[in-house]
Amino acid sequence: MSQPKRPSYQFARMMADLMPFADAASKELPLSRLLRLSLFQVSVGMAMVLLSGTLNRVMVVELGTPTWLIATLIAVPLLVAPFRALIGHKSDRHVSALGWRRVPYIWFGTMMQFGGLAVMPFALLLLELEGRFEIGLVAAAVAFLLTGLGFHVTQTAGLALATDLAPEDKRPRAVALLYVMLLVGMMLSAFVIGGLLIDFSPTRLVQVIQGAAVFTMVLNLVALWKQEARAPERTKADPDAPSFGELWNAFVRDGRNARLLTAIGIGAAGFAMQDALLEPFGGEILGLSVGATTGLTGAWALGALLGFIYSGRRMSMGADPLRLAGLGLVIGVNAFLLVLFAGPFESALMLYAGALLIGLGLGLFSVGTLIEAMALAKSETAGLALGAWGAVQATCAGGGIALGGLVRDLVAWLAAADATATIATRASGYTSVYVIEILLLIAGLAAIGPLVGHSRISSIQSRNSADQPFGLREFPT
């Protein structure tokens, strides 16, 4: 007579059925160790929430800083992302007297995150002091740049470390789990930071951001502890290893990816223009509190997580990645329509639903285009294909964020030059940006349409369709 299955076993099987990354653990990398390593993604998610969510709302509504300036500051860290491929290549070839490759990069990235967050609140408070604006602006730019550079370096080297530790057949799922932990970290951070800033004051702002700096250091130290073994062969340089320039030139000569990269850039800009505006829109137009508007970032992260899981299940059944990307663009158009009408209807529920669908659409679009980008390259240049994907997406997203802030301020200034402006007039700057985003996503559909149905078969696609759970070897932010 067979023994009844234990509840823990049944729960584990249920998780494996629902989540394609639940079986990422292996003998070499147990689940407890993998989850501990994933804590660096939680710190990255927390920094992303602060930079692109909470702080722009606080600076626009509470501190009265011009939107274009905040959008530019938020875009600064994203412009560092094109160098992620170079960072990953350098960590691959790093020569250390201690025999480490990834640890030095994760450590220095952590220190940059800590330093940027530590000085950031004081720089922001200087922006509202008469005669101190220029000093505050320079200090804020340095703080945002340090924080952004720090989490890009930490995340790139951390994902590379995960691929080093996991066995070949488990690497995609292990890195997929790390990306999901990024989204979990964003959701938790959005709700916790939002709750702490319900009763806003300058002192509370300093406490929250500097607390995040300390928490970042603790999380990353715990994540890094005894993860990478020291190897004597890493103390000497390999003279025969190809240079980054050689690998990059081999990739760009391929010439097959122009249309795809164009679609990626248009879609990334279309989704990103609202990054610096969604929370200020909720605060200024709908009168939501700091805590309530921070919840919009949590809803966005939840939508992105749902999009990632759905993409995983569809890709495991052999779906066309570009059809998923197109579906993401269609969902994005509908999401911005919801946000657009949230103001006239004075509906916070519509705004939250729009934020959720923006995340869902972006998740589908990002995963679909990334899988297609991976199919563009040969196996020896797959990392550079991912780097190109990240470079185009990050650069266009950064430009979109800055442009969104400029358009919002310009339209609002043209529409209302006096103090008697109505809510509808003050909302015109935001709605203009949302209309532009809808048009960009439609243009992205036009660019990606001819590519659908002509996806190239790669080893990664073959593995995903051959009864293998979906996962990503790398997923740049």
Side-chain angles (χ1 to χ4, degrees), residues 93-101 228-238:
R93 301 285 181 258
H94 185 69
V95 178
S96 169
L98 297 176
W100 282 328
R101 288 190 302 174
E228 184 178 23
R230 296 167 61 183
E233 64 271 14
R234 297 173 189 161
T235 60
K236 297 179 180 179
D238 182 5

Side-chain angles (χ1 to χ4, degrees), residues 230-264:
R230 296 167 61 183
E233 64 271 14
R234 297 173 189 161
T235 60
K236 297 179 180 179
D238 182 5
D240 298 326
S243 67
F244 176 77
E246 292 171 342
L247 292 175
W248 179 256
N249 289 334
F251 170 71
V252 296
R253 281 198 303 266
D254 192 293
R256 296 177 295 175
N257 53 4
R259 191 178 189 96
L260 176 63
L261 293 180
T262 299
I264 291 171

Side-chain angles (χ1 to χ4, degrees), residues 78-145:
L78 289 176
L79 298 178
V80 180
F83 298 100
R84 287 179 63 122
L86 178 61
I87 293 169
H89 175 77
K90 291 294 185 181
S91 69
D92 288 337
R93 301 285 181 258
H94 185 69
V95 178
S96 169
L98 297 176
W100 282 328
R101 288 190 302 174
R102 316 299 184 185
V103 168
Y105 283 83
I106 299 175
W107 172 247
F108 284 113
T110 299
M111 292 300 294
M112 286 187 282
Q113 280 181 263
F114 175 83
L117 291 175
V119 303
M120 188 177 295
F122 301 108
L124 299 180
L125 293 176
L126 285 175
L127 292 175
E128 65 174 350
L129 295 181
E130 186 176 355
R132 296 288 187 270
F133 179 82
E134 292 78 8
I135 297 176
L137 179 59
V138 173
V142 172
F144 273 71
L145 180 62

Side-chain angles (χ1 to χ4, degrees), residues 189-212:
S189 300
F191 293 126
V192 171
I193 294 172
L196 292 174
L197 289 176
I198 289 177
D199 298 322
F200 175 81
S201 68
T203 302
R204 178 60 62 88
L205 180 66
V206 173
Q207 292 172 339
V208 169
I209 300 179
Q210 291 201 325

Side-chain angles (χ1 to χ4, degrees), residues 291-317:
T293 55
T294 302
L296 292 170
T297 303
W300 173 90
L302 175 60
L305 176 60
L306 294 175
F308 183 79
I309 294 174
Y310 178 76
S311 298
R313 299 186 69 84
R314 293 291 299 156
M315 289 301 301
S316 66
M317 293 185 289

